[in-house]
Amino acid sequence: MSERPDVASATTEDRDDVQSDSRQGVVPWRSIWRVIVALLATAALLWALYQVRSLVAMIVIALFFSLALEPAVRWLHRRYGWSRAASVGLIYVGLLVFLVVMVVVLIPAIAELARTIGDQGPGWIESLNEWAQETFGTDVVSDDVAESGTSGIAQYAGDWADDAFGTITGIASAGVGFVFSVATIAMFTFYFTADSPRLARMVLSWFPPERQQRLGWTLDQAVEQTGGYFYSRSILMIICGL
């Protein structure tokens, strides 16, 4: 009677060993399926991002411009009490006026340049061809055009102008898409800048309180540094343009 508990305990231990061995030999199919699903989800996400890569690029550019406009919007909001949307609208109007002034200034200059090239272009090409022959022993234009005199050079200039006009036409066609991209970036920039405090609070709410202060300081530094870079480059552009 005293040996029965020992036999029972031995039998229980054997069963436990068999169960542990069987568990070790079982393939973890659940973990494998989790890995497969994670890989498929990652691949689907990367494919979706690749399909909308142009939109993602425009959103990133809009975020940069939003950070650049933020200091000016904050200044107008604190100084004059304007709403953030009105401040962004005023900045947009100022940029539009600046672009209009630039176009008005540049169009007469471009027209004058085109007229000058049309009048003196053949002479310039002939002089350039003579200089290239004396200096490098080669021709800028072909010998047939050079021997035909001013009329041939004028025809050569006209053919070159036609090719250039075709290139300009292609650029203008691509400009339609460019205008659409600019409008999309401007729309996202307006939304990000006008609603920046709420977006910042929403993003910071995803993190624990001890990290929110550091992330808020990082965001403020990003606004100051990006705005300083943008405004300094704008001032430099205006100086160089003048």
Side-chain angles (χ1 to χ4, degrees), residues 171-194:
I171 295 175
S173 300
V176 176
F178 175 76
V179 170
F180 176 77
S181 299
V182 170
T184 305
I185 293 173
M187 180 187 65
F188 279 113
T189 302
F190 184 92
Y191 172 73
F192 290 151
T193 309

Side-chain angles (χ1 to χ4, degrees), residues 120-134 140 153:
Q120 304 183 11
W124 291 348
I125 294 177
E126 186 176 0
S127 300
L128 179 62
N129 194 38
E130 293 177 356
W131 174 82
Q133 290 176 353
E134 295 175 357
V140 176
I153 295 177

Side-chain angles (χ1 to χ4, degrees), residues 94-136:
L95 291 175
L96 181 61
V97 171
F98 174 77
L99 292 176
V100 170
V101 171
M102 290 296 295
V103 170
V104 170
V105 171
L106 288 176
I107 285 181
I110 294 174
E112 180 65 20
L113 177 63
R115 187 185 63 82
T116 303
I117 292 176
D119 294 340
Q120 304 183 11
W124 291 348
I125 294 177
E126 186 176 0
S127 300
L128 179 62
N129 194 38
E130 293 177 356
W131 174 82
Q133 290 176 353
E134 295 175 357
T135 305
F136 302 104

Side-chain angles (χ1 to χ4, degrees), residues 135-221:
T135 305
F136 302 104
T138 185
D139 296 330
V140 176
V141 296
S142 62
D143 294 336
D144 296 337
V145 175
E147 292 175 357
S148 61
T150 305
S151 60
I153 295 177
Q155 180 64 34
Y156 175 82
D159 296 338
W160 179 87
D162 292 338
D163 295 337
F165 181 76
T167 303
I168 293 173
T169 304
I171 295 175
S173 300
V176 176
F178 175 76
V179 170
F180 176 77
S181 299
V182 170
T184 305
I185 293 173
M187 180 187 65
F188 279 113
T189 302
F190 184 92
Y191 172 73
F192 290 151
T193 309
D195 214 14
S196 176
R198 189 178 68 85
L199 293 175
R201 288 194 299 268
M202 181 184 66
V203 173
L204 292 177
S205 64
W206 298 342
F207 300 92
E210 60 272 10
R211 298 186 60 184
Q212 291 182 6
Q213 185 177 1
R214 287 180 294 176
L215 292 174
W217 177 85
T218 303
L219 181 60
D220 291 336
Q221 291 297 315

